[in-house]
Structure formats: structure tokens, C-alpha cells
Amino acid sequence: MSGDAYTVVGGGAIGGTIAHSLARAGRPVTVVDSDAGHVAAIREHGLTVDHGGGRFTAVRVSATTPEEFDDRQPDGPPDGDGDGDGNSDGGPQDRRLSRVLLAVKAQATDDAMRWIAPRLAPGGYVVSVQNGFNEALVAEHVGAERTLAAFVNIFADVTAPGVIRDGGPGAFVVGEPGGAPVSERVRRLVEDLQAWGPARATDNVEGYLWAKAGFGAMLAATSLADDAMAGLIDRHRGAMYALVREVFAVAEALHVRLEPFDAFEAQAFGRNAPPAVRDAATDRLTAWLRTQPKDRSGIWRDIAVRRRPVEVTTHYATVFEEAERAGIATPVLRAVIDGLRELEQDPGGMSESRLDDLDRLAAAHNPPSRVASPAPDGPDRPDAVAAPGSLPSAPRLSAAEARSVRQWLETHREEMVRDLAAYTAHGSSSDDRAELGSCLEWLRGWLDESLGAPGTAGVTEERLEREDAGDVVVRRYPAAGHAPADAHPDGGGAPAAATALPVLLLAHYDTVWPTGTLARWPFRRDGEKITGPGVFDMKAGLVQAVWALRALDALGLPRPACTLMLNGDEETGSLASSDAIVAEASGSRAALVFEAAAGGAVKTARKGVGLFRLTVDGVEAHAGLDPAAGASAVEEAAHQVLRLGALSDPVAGTTVNVGVLHGGTRSNVTAGQAVADFDIRVASTAEQKRMEAALSSLCPVNPRTKVTVTGEWNRPVFERTPQVAHLYALARACAGPLGLDLRETSVGGASDGNFVLAAGVPVLDGLGAVGGGAHARTEHTTVGGMTERAALTAGVLAAFAG
């Protein structure tokens, strides 16, 4: 971290959250706030964050009102450290402001900047962490060279003087204004902001600010009624879509590239987004809002609780100005702002009938767009989906073609079963290199017969030998059956350079089943049900992937270039293969992971996994003759295990499991050492950061003992990004003609897809077997599930052929 001091001007929900995080990380912080009661509470009790569930954390920060600030500062040189460089060396007693985080309400920006400007050091800067578009006004006071832009989406709230209610993880993006490249000062600021969570730098802050303006318009509309945001958005979609459409029309006129954030998929609300995609994105957005601790907006709270003017009327001044300049009508947004101004005078007028009026206004000014029917002589293709980056914008196979693929696979279902039986007959325990090698040799021969041997028709193979794990095999297959780019159903498609990249098909051939299991539990088929070690996790998945490629080739349908990667140590953490996986993924357009499905659903989120060891060193002594001389490592470990368990937060998706605990030598000897092995699962990067901080701060209850934590994160968090959401929407569209209602889910287990997504490559996981019983004697899959998933995989692959 940089060690820089920060001044947070405005210690409310956003400013207080940031100040608290920076102070907990050891950064010198001064909070300047005009609320004297809030300042007094911070001075007396510290700045406190309510995490819910009775959990509070308080930190000491310097706090002052603007009027008191100069009186509380000692006399000193202009830059506060005596070296005349315009930079403060840290600490709350610096006279000049160096790094200012401006977090006042938007309507207070001008007054706040009049106070900040004469106190800002020449080398300092101001970053607006406010809602709305405030950078231009900040720059008017201090100059563009001392202004930074930021996008913040934190659902926090002030619940009492000095107390901020944690709103859960959000988004925080910082950059230079106007799309300038990321600077060193931005990088240093973002590094310090990691104390809060997954802050990051960008050269497109404007894209986030305009996306939030669309999202914020929906939240503003919910403040016209006294009810939860999620339900109101869900029930009044006509008004909500019209609001976002008006804001995004202005952004489009300004040539702004909109960015997604949190659960708001900006592209899904664009002018050309199909209704089905927009509705699905709204379903996910409202589901996410229902998980947030705060169910009403800050705008609602300002009107209904604090009885003070709202800042949102200031937020949208820029939108209205730019709309008038571009000749864009904004009747629904203006109606929302007018309604909020009325409620400022009479909060009792809140009513859902106001949103009913908005729905009618939206219908009158924005009639629903028609979904174009297929041309009379065109294929009956499913609707397109809005595609970020180089991902396909729609299924390529027509409904008739998709059904023909499934029918072809149904005629070959017995051959698929025979392949799975032969594959399962080769044991592949993760810890038996000889068995893994034998299984891999069978797989290579089977692939030769099924898809062509290396050296034929452009097929190549690379074998990556591993000393302590199964080898990694990479087979590359050229594209086949391509149609011209202008034959794409949406008339375009991704750039040729993007479509030339292969699709990575990721599978592992190792299993958790020890050598010899097959002798007691061989492959069996009972009608539709198939059992045996590894059939579900994940041998059937690989069989399905290969047969999907075979089906496309047999029917002369297009498929993209594909890279099939077989990993031999996934079940033990991919320690020997993760680097190779990431390297291969970096040159791929997307990755399809053939891990088993979860109740038929694909997996669009997985938890990150950490494997750690707690070691406690005590002092040995005779338990009977000299008990006071000892310091029990076992007793200390017991305290620490309880502490570790208390770190679990099921609501946030975090679990801590101490699976192994042992210590001491004999019952009459005070234990000199104890060891606990534990597993951590986290659903977000913010939670991963929290756990890292908690583990680094563990200290012994008994000062005569020593506590040490070792280990690392085995797999990063697999979060549901907009690209992951897009791949799911694409797969769902491909599943429709097959009669499948494809669902998505989040799971606690990790896969090699975690590595790929962390490398920035889109992932669709859980395309493998349909069944259950992973890692148990109940492990099974189904014959019908195999043909069904192979047909789905073929449809998704075909979509990339263009």
C-alpha cells in the first residue's frame, strides 16, 4: 500500500464506508462532515460499521466539521510536511489536503469544492465518489489536472450518528476523466481501496457513470412508493425499461461505451436488445436486489425518514441538458424527477399508483417493439441475444437443425453408452500415476478414432508431462463447415480476428476413486440409469463433448476451431496443471467446461476455495508435576478453531470448515503443538479479502503460545460476470428448440473454470452429465441426459462458428 493520507469530505453512507475501510487498513484518514452530531459520535466512539447480525466494527479516525478544520490544524508550512513539494506525508494534522475523496450529496458539490479548493495542495487531487456527474464541477474549482473520476455503487446507509450500515459488496471503479489512460496516481489509489473490496482502475469511468444513471433512474422511480425496490421494479417493468431507454439514448448520442456492474447488465437494456434478454436480465437484477441488506433506496430514506431534499434531482441535470442538445425526449424520467420534488414537500404522497401512471406514460411514448418474424424463406432461428465483445450474438442452428442433431444422437445413443462403459473401465485415481497414464492412452486412441488422429485433417496434439500428476493432453481441431460471415442470422457477427480464436473444451480424466474401486463397483447400466466410479464426475461429460463434435461433422453443420484439454489432477486442486490451463485459455475465445450439471442446471457461479493450515506452538510440560509451566497448544487451537468457525457468513456465501485437528503426544504431557487443516469457500472477491484480513490478524489467546497460518487460495472466485450471463443466455436459447428449459445455478464446489474466468476468458460451466452423487457410491448419470447434453453442446458450439 502507498501509505498516503486521505481526507474524506462527507462522512455519510459512501464516504463513511470508504473511510472505515481505509482506516482499518492503517491509512491515515480525516473525515470532514457538516453534521456536528455525526462528527461528535465518531470522535467519541469511533467510526462504526454495522455488518448485520449484531456484528459491529469501529475504527478511530480524525473527524471534524469544516468550520473546525482550520482551528484544529497547527501552524506549519504550506504543504504540511516542510519539504515544499505540495504533498502531505500523512496524518490527520497536515495543514493542506493531499488526496480528497469527495462524498457529499451532489447538490452540495459546489459548496464543498469552495471549501476544498483553497486547501488543496498543488500536487493533490479530488476524486468524486458521489452519485451523478460531478467531475466537471470539481474541475472548475481545482483544474482538470487535479480531478479524478470514480464510479461507486455501494448500498450503505447512515443509521445513527457515527454508524454506517454495511450494504454488502458493490462496485468501485476509478480513472482519469475523459477516457485518459490509467495513471500511476489512479493505480496507487486503487491499491489502497483494495482495503474496501474489489476496486479497480479503468479508462472508461464515463461508461460506468452512464450505466449507473440508467440503473439509478429505476431506483429513483421506486422511491415514489413505500415498498421494496426489487418488487416495484419487477411489477412496473414498462416504466423501468422506458427510463433506462431514455438515459441510454443520451449516452449513445455521446458515443459512450456502457459498462456492466454488479448485477446490472447494461447491454441487456440497450435499444436493440431483444425483450427476452432484457426480461431475463431484469429477473437476475431483482433477484440480486432481494439479497441486499438495504431494500429501499437512499432517495426513499431522504424523503421518508430524514425529510430532506434529495440529490437525484441534481444527478439528472446533466442527462436533461445533453438530451435537449441531442433532441432526445425524456418524458418518463422528467415525470420521476417532478414526482420526487412533490414528495419532498409531502412525503405522505408516496404511492404505487404513481408508478402505475409511469407505466401508462411509458406505454404512450415508448410502445413495445415488435419482435421481427423470420423471413418467409429464412430459417426458424431463435431470437438473438445481446453479445458482449466477441461472443456469438445468437444461436446459429435453426430449430429444425437443432432437432436433427438430437435425433442423430438418439440413433447413436448405444454407441455413446459403450464409449462411456469403456472409458469407465479404465480407473483413473488422482494419486495413481500409472493408472492415470493407462487411462490417458486409452483416451488418446479413442479420440483418434472419433475425431481424427494428430497429423490428419489439421488435427494436432501437445502432451504436457507432469512428474507428480497425470499428464495434460491438448488436442486442437480446425473449424469445419463454416458459412460466410454475412450468412449470420443477425447479419454480422464478431470480427474475423475474434472468431478465428478457438473455443476451449475443458475436461479432467482423473477421479476421486482409489485404485481397485472398479473390482468392487464396476460400470452398470439399469435401463436409463448408469452407475460407476466417475460416470457423473466427469467421464460422461467428455463423452458428450466428443459426440457433440461428431454430430455436427456427420450432419455437415458448422463448428468453430476447438481445443480439447484433458487435465489429470483436477480433483487434487490442479496444482500441476493450472498454469497450462490459464495459458491455453488466454488464446481462446471462450471456455466450455464439461463438469457435471447441478440438477440439470449449468453453473454460472462457483465459490473460490482456500486450503489453509493453522499451526499452534505451545510449551510442553508434565501435566501432573508442573502444569503451570506448560502452555497447551491444543487448548489454544480450540480457541482458534472457534474463531475460525465464527468467520463463516452464510448470507455472504462464506463457509469455513476445520476438517482435520490433531495435536499433542500423550495425555500427561501439555501439548507442545497442534495443527488444524481448514477449507474456506467464498462467493465474492470482497469476502476473499475479508477472510485474508481476518487470517492475517489472528493472535493467540494465551500469549505464551504462537499461532501461524499457512496455505493459499487454491482457486479464485468464479463470479457471474456479464459475459458468463451472456453465455448462459446463449445456451438457454440453444436449449429451447430441444424442448429444454435450461436453468442456471451457483455452487460451492470449484472447477478449472475458476482459473479460466479469473484470466478474463468467458466460461460456461456444468455442461456435462445429468445425474448426481458426485464423490459418493450413489454416483450416476442417465442415457437420455447424455444425448440431451450432447445436443445442447452441439448447438452452443455451432453458435461460435462464424
Side-chain angles (χ1 to χ4, degrees), residues 263 265 277 280-289 720 725 728 744:
E265 302 163 32
V277 172
T282 306
D283 290 342
R284 292 187 286 269
L285 175 64
T286 54
W288 176 76
L289 285 171
R720 186 183 186 279
Y728 164 64
E744 63 175 324

Side-chain angles (χ1 to χ4, degrees), residues 415-481:
E415 295 170 68
M416 294 179 68
V417 173
R418 284 196 294 271
D419 282 351
L420 179 57
Y423 183 12
T424 308
H426 289 79
S428 51
S429 174
S430 297
D431 57 5
D432 188 332
R433 288 200 70 240
E435 192 173 66
L436 287 168
S438 176
C439 181
L440 186 57
E441 287 308 308
W442 180 88
L443 283 172
R444 294 176 69 213
W446 173 62
L447 291 174
D448 289 350
E449 296 175 3
S450 302
L451 300 173
T456 62
V459 179
T460 65
E461 179 185 88
E462 182 179 2
R463 183 165 183 165
L464 309 176
E465 296 184 356
R466 297 292 183 262
E467 290 186 5
D468 300 317
D471 291 348
V472 177
V473 164
V474 180
R475 287 276 179 109
R476 296 184 174 88
Y477 301 96

Side-chain angles (χ1 to χ4, degrees), residues 314-325:
T314 304
H315 292 172
Y316 289 94
T318 299
V319 177
F320 291 139
E321 290 170 6
E322 296 294 346
E324 289 180 4
R325 188 173 293 116

